[in-house]
Every structure is written in C-alpha cells, then in structure tokens.
C-alpha cells in the first residue's frame, strides 16, 4: 500500500514541534489537516430545555477548550455570574491554562490531568479529594469516552449538553484523494460517507482508514469499511505513535 497523502481530520497543530510534522518529514508524506466535523453551540433557549441551572454547581469538569468557551458563553448569555469559589478540573494542563481567557488563573482552584483522559489517575485523585462538590461537565451530543471512570467515583455529576457536533461538508472543488484518512470521532465517519457516498465501491476501499478510540473504530466496522490502523493500543498509546508505526511497517511490506 503506497501512502503519500494523509488526511488528519483535526485542526492543524499550532506548535511547529507537533509529531505530525516530524512524521511527514521522516516518511516523506503529505499530511493535510482537515476537520470532518464542526461544532455548533446550543442557543440559550435550547440549553434551557435541559432544566439545568448553572448557578447550582460548585465545580466544572472540562475535557476540551470548546467546552470552556461554551460554558462561559452560556453563563454570560444566561446572566449567571460564575463565583470566585468555583473549582475547575481539566483533563490537560493546556485546557487549564486556556481558562485564563475567562478567569484570573492564580485566584482560582484548578486541577488537571496528565494524559487527557477521564480515567487519568492524577485527574481522578483531584476530583476524589473534592468529592463533596456538585460537578457539571459540559459535553456535546456525544459523551466523552471513559465517562464510567467518573461515575465510579459516585460524585454528584451532571453532564450538560452545550454544543453539538455536525458534519463539515466538502466544498464542490474539494477532492478526496487521500491514501490514508485518520478519524477521531464516529461523526467523522458519518461525514466521510455523506461527502463521498462511493467511498467503498465493488469491495475496493478508496483509502486506508485509521481511528482513535473504540467508538470511532466501531463506526468504521459498522459502516462496512476496512479498518487499517487503530489507536490507542498498548504499543501505540497515541495516534501519532500508531501512524509512525503504520508507515514504518508499510514501507517494509
């Protein structure tokens, strides 16, 4: 399988030190960053239908910067003042630092994990230490993976849908001429099949597919497509590690 052009269905990394750039140079491949999904924020009217009162909560769990933006947006549009006593629990330090866009960082109580996952030991330990708080976790219409790690703590936790993920359609002039396509959400797979209905024709798949996370892998298999690369695994805990390994083995074949 000759791999020369790769689609990564995420925004382009802001850091020039991203492993993706190193992989492109190492394997002499072109990597195109093109999200297959986009986020639509819920309106205040839509959010109010959930009957969730934002002022009732004493702690917020953030899994993405999008969640941060929509939480503070809805608080402002609902005229809810976020108290200085609010505690914040973020799955990564990057998300924690992003809070500076909305709050004075040094004056708040902020904790974060190391791996970016909800079952991160440091992240869960911080929540367990504050298990008497009333937690809110802003989410999209697709719940984050590993939510069971939070429910196992038996804390007072409410998922609050604040935005939805929808397909990011191709423009008429866009070509789907990739040799390998990497997806991070089941919605990305749905977007692919919506934009390229003949992606699988006569049992010949137009490109190899790689996924991150069990739900995305399941979406590929349920769609009758061939899954060529899967992460995370014990050997390759990240998508970049799995991609590097796949390209290395592909050259050897």
């Amino acid at each position: 399988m000759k791999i020369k052009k790769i689609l990564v269905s995420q925004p382009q990394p802001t850091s020039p030190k991203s492993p993706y750039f190193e992989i492109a140079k190492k394997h002499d491949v072109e990597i195109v960053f093109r999200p297959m999904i986009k986020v639509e924020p819920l309106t205040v009217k839509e959010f109010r239908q959930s009957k969730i009162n934002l002022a009732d909560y004493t702690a917020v769990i953030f899994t993405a910067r999008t969640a941060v933006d929509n939480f503070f947006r809805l608080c402002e549009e609902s005229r809810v003042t976020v108290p200085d006593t609010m505690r914040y629990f973020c799955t990564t330090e990057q998300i924690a630092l992003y809070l500076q866009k909305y709050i004075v960082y040094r004056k708040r109580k902020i904790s974060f994990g190391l791996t970016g996952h909800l079952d991160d030991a440091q992240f869960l330990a911080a929540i367990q230490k504050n298990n008497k708080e009333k937690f809110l976790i802003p989410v999209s219409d697709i719940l984050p993976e590993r939510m069971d790690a939070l429910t196992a703590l038996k804390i007072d936790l409410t998922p609050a849908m604040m935005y939805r993920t929808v397909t990011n359609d191709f423009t008429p002039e866009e070509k789907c001429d990739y040799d390998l396509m990497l997806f991070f959400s089941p919605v990305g797979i749905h977007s692919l099949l919506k934009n390229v209905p003949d992606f699988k024709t006569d049992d010949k798949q137009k490109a190899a597919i790689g996924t991150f996370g069990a739900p995305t892998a399941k979406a590929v298999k349920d769609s009758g497509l061939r899954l060529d690369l899967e992460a995370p695994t014990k050997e390759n805990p990240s998508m970049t590690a799995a991609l590097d390994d796949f390209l290395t083995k592909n050259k050897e074949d």
Side-chain angles (χ1 to χ4, degrees):
M1 184 185 297
K2 189 175 182 180
I3 306 294
K4 294 301 292 182
K5 188 175 182 181
I6 301 169
L7 169 77
V8 176
S9 59
Q10 286 189 327
Q12 181 165 324
T14 55
S15 171
K17 296 182 180 180
S18 168
Y20 282 113
F21 300 133
E22 297 175 10
I23 289 172
K25 184 177 180 180
K26 175 182 176 181
H27 295 281
D28 189 26
V29 295
E30 178 187 0
I31 296 182
V32 178
F33 297 92
R34 201 280 185 197
M36 297 291 286
I37 61 174
K38 59 184 177 180
V39 170
E40 282 186 353
L42 264 65
T43 64
V44 172
K45 183 178 180 181
E46 289 175 316
F47 180 71
R48 283 175 177 159
Q49 293 175 5
S50 67
K51 307 296 183 182
I52 293 174
N53 182 8
L54 295 173
D56 289 343
Y57 298 88
T58 61
V60 189
I61 296 172
F62 289 123
T63 60
R65 289 187 296 180
T66 301
V68 175
D69 289 334
N70 281 282
F71 171 75
F72 285 100
R73 174 187 62 83
L74 282 172
C75 283
E76 181 179 359
E77 293 177 2
S78 302
R79 298 182 181 178
V80 173
T81 300
V82 181
D84 293 348
T85 54
M86 181 71 78
R87 292 182 180 271
Y88 301 95
F89 300 86
C90 305
T91 51
T92 67
E93 184 179 11
Q94 288 77 15
I95 298 171
L97 292 172
Y98 186 71
L99 284 170
Q100 294 177 99
K101 180 178 178 181
Y102 299 98
I103 64 174
V104 180
Y105 193 89
R106 67 179 183 275
K107 290 186 178 180
R108 301 299 193 271
K109 297 175 181 178
I110 302 171
S111 303
F112 56 84
L114 298 175
T115 65
H117 300 306
L118 288 176
D119 59 359
D120 177 88
Q122 177 173 301
F123 176 74
L124 292 177
I127 292 178
Q128 184 64 57
K129 186 177 179 181
N130 297 276
N131 59 11
K132 300 302 181 185
E133 303 291 343
K134 189 175 176 64
F135 291 88
L136 183 79
I137 178 168
V139 296
S140 72
D141 49 329
I142 302 173
L143 287 176
E145 288 188 59
R146 310 181 190 182
M147 279 286 291
D148 55 336
L150 292 178
T151 55
L153 296 178
K154 300 189 182 303
I155 55 176
D156 186 342
L157 174 67
T158 301
M161 179 178 163
M162 295 186 173
Y163 52 100
R164 60 175 67 89
T165 50
V166 298
T167 60
N168 188 18
D169 293 343
F170 282 15
T171 59
E173 61 273 13
E174 276 190 270
K175 294 181 180 180
C176 185
D177 56 352
Y178 304 99
D179 304 307
L180 172 63
M181 308 178 77
L182 305 181
F183 296 93
F184 301 79
S185 164
V187 182
I189 303 301
H190 301 154
S191 178
L192 169 66
L193 296 177
K194 176 184 177 183
N195 282 281
V196 192
D198 64 341
F199 185 80
K200 183 185 178 186
T201 305
D202 298 330
D203 294 326
K204 292 183 179 180
Q205 194 165 294
K206 292 180 177 293
I209 289 181
T211 60
F212 188 88
T216 313
K218 184 176 184 299
V220 170
K221 296 170 184 176
D222 288 349
S223 299
L225 300 176
R226 186 186 70 247
L227 181 59
D228 302 278
L229 180 163
E230 190 172 356
T233 63
K234 184 177 180 180
E235 297 76 18
N236 297 307
S238 67
M239 176 59 91
T240 49
L243 174 60
D244 185 31
D245 184 56
F246 178 80
L247 293 174
T248 299
K249 290 179 179 177
N250 188 65
K251 283 183 179 180
E252 295 171 353
D253 293 340

